[in-house]
Amino acid sequence: MKLQRMNRRALSLGALAVSGALALTACGSDDTGDKSSSGGSSAASAPAGNIKCDDAKGQLLADGSSAQKNAIDAWVKAFTQACNGVQINYKGGGSGAGVTAFTQGQVAFAGSDSALKPEEVKASKSVCKGGQGIDLPMVGGPIAIAYKLDGVDNLVLDAPTIAKIFSGQIKKWNDPQIAKLNPKAKLPDLKIQAFHRSDESGTTDNFTKYLIATTPDNWKFEGGKAWTAPGGQSASGSSGVAQGVKQTNGAIGYMELSYAKDGLSTVAIDTGASAPVAASSEGATKAIADAKVVGAGSDLALKLNYTTKADGAYPITLVTYEIVCDKGNKADTLPATKAFLRYIASEDGQGILSGINYAPIPADINAKVRTTIEGLS
């Protein structure tokens, strides 16, 4: 998705350099089912000679976040070309499905856009013999608010208007509150069709955390993976929301930036910074740089700052965690899992993210994840 012209200056601040990498245990895919390899991404892959296969072989099964699908596609393609003895099947059923599959021992690893809850960590101990499930931040990304509105290419919203749109309080595009933020736009007298996720989703969790943190007076609904606000249209997976918005003039929805393309425009957010901020990988990395590690031990769960007002920092950002056992991983899948993680945690693996609308994790967090990968057993 092209950045809106009015935000280019703010976004030119750029992202923090990433010198390390992250740990990943999940390979992502789409909302549509299992894939052993990924097509779809035209981003440059790491040279095959830079990928160390070690003793990796066999099939890795995983499930979880659909948010990281396009990143996983690119990673899996490069890795399996270099390590042709490994097949990676990721069922992108959403973060909730991934965590459930992991705690039930159905997958080697899972992807989630939200860190494990205490009860989920407890459940993982029956699968991770002698250990437990841990969160390893792997992929950053902006949650774009994408819309289809004929004749309106540049739209600015702030947290209160976003909350009121998705809760049904603002019903038409020419509402005075939207018009005040967009004095030059020709807003139509058209009903707003707001789309949200129907499945349990870490994208929903992060989107609602943003609203709770920034405008609690206008968003009084519970957070979490399940959508709790009334009304609106629902669709399964990020791809489903994107498709619903694309097919409906007057529609709006939240999704990862990599899905906001092919006829969709994205909202620039008035955060209180010097200029409204459009969704970009650079803006997401800048926001993630303000996150704090709150996990204990080898768990690297992060607390994001959704209220950032830094110039160029995009506030609605998620981090996809790869969930794996710190100890007690299955012996037949551990070599392939660690080899795959080493690749995507490398500079080559992380280096492809910006080109496909994801955000590299800042270097200091990457270094901690890299160390954790080597300690997996």
Side-chain angles (χ1 to χ4, degrees):
M1 174 63 63
K2 295 182 179 178
L3 296 178
Q4 299 165 336
R5 292 188 296 271
M6 67 185 297
N7 298 292
R8 285 176 176 166
R9 180 176 301 175
L11 293 175
S12 66
L13 294 170
L16 296 177
V18 176
S19 61
L22 310 166
L24 199 163
T25 56
C27 347
S29 184
D30 199 356
D31 316 289
T32 55
D34 293 338
K35 290 186 179 182
S36 59
S37 63
S38 343
S41 174
S42 60
S45 304
N50 293 345
I51 298 176
K52 296 181 179 180
C53 303
D54 296 331
D55 297 322
K57 60 183 179 180
Q59 184 181 63
L60 297 180
L61 300 178
D63 196 0
S65 165
S66 62
Q68 62 178 349
K69 180 258 185 188
N70 293 328
I72 295 295
D73 280 355
W75 280 332
V76 170
K77 181 177 181 179
F79 183 79
T80 54
Q81 284 177 344
C83 307
N84 55 22
V86 181
Q87 182 183 25
I88 299 175
N89 292 318
Y90 181 90
K91 182 180 179 181
S95 297
V99 171
T100 297
F102 180 77
T103 57
Q104 292 179 351
Q106 298 172 359
V107 294
F109 42 81
S112 177
D113 307 321
S114 300
L116 291 168
K117 298 177 181 178
E119 60 268 26
E120 293 167 342
V121 173
K122 182 178 179 180
S124 73
K125 293 181 179 180
S126 63
V127 175
C128 307
K129 303 302 182 183
Q132 66 180 47
I134 56 174
D135 301 289
L136 301 173
M138 179 55 56
V139 184
I143 300 174
I145 300 177
Y147 66 96
K148 181 177 176 60
L149 189 60
D150 292 347
V152 180
D153 297 324
N154 296 297
L155 186 70
V156 175
L157 297 175
D158 58 11
T161 56
I162 294 168
K164 291 175 183 178
I165 286 171
F166 281 90
S167 63
Q169 298 176 64
I170 293 178
K171 302 181 182 298
K172 289 194 173 184
W173 281 108
N174 63 348
D175 185 280
Q177 296 173 78
I178 300 177
K180 184 177 179 180
L181 292 165
N182 300 273
K184 296 182 179 180
K186 295 182 179 180
L187 299 169
D189 182 11
L190 180 67
K191 181 181 178 181
I192 296 173
Q193 302 279 358
F195 278 79
H196 59 264
R197 291 280 289 270
S198 61
D199 53 323
E200 289 201 351
S201 163
T203 308
T204 295
D205 189 21
N206 284 275
F207 180 63
T208 54
K209 281 179 178 176
Y210 162 75
L211 296 175
I212 292 169
T214 55
T215 184
D217 290 344
N218 296 299
W219 190 264
K220 299 182 180 298
F221 310 101
E222 294 183 4
K225 295 185 180 74
W227 183 260
T228 57
Q233 308 291 326
S234 64
S236 179
S238 297
S239 61
V241 172
Q243 189 66 20
V245 174
K246 187 184 304 183
Q247 293 175 344
T248 310
N249 186 39
I252 190 170
Y254 59 91
M255 64 198 73
E256 295 70 42
L257 181 59
S258 62
Y259 291 90
K261 54 188 178 181
D262 299 333
L264 296 179
S265 300
T266 58
V267 168
I269 300 177
D270 184 347
T271 64
S274 62
V277 186
S280 73
S281 58
E282 294 89 351
T285 298
K286 186 164 187 178
I288 295 169
D290 200 22
K292 299 183 184 303
V293 176
V294 295
S298 56
D299 185 89
L300 296 175
L302 302 176
K303 183 178 181 180
L304 299 173
N305 179 13
Y306 297 102
T307 61
T308 179
K309 295 182 180 180
D311 285 346
Y314 185 77
I316 316 178
T317 298
L318 62 76
V319 169
T320 298
Y321 298 97
E322 309 309 335
I323 298 170
V324 66
C325 298
D326 57 356
K327 298 177 183 178
N329 291 282
K330 295 180 181 179
D332 58 340
T333 58
L334 181 60
T337 298
K338 291 183 74 169
F340 183 62
L341 300 184
R342 287 189 187 107
Y343 159 56
I344 63 175
S346 68
E347 291 185 27
D348 288 324
Q350 284 291 296
I352 70 172
L353 292 178
S354 294
I356 50 176
N357 293 315
Y358 290 95
I361 302 296
D364 58 339
I365 301 174
N366 282 348
K368 295 176 182 178
V369 180
R370 223 173 32 246
T371 298
T372 303
I373 290 173
E374 297 308 320
L376 298 178
S377 63

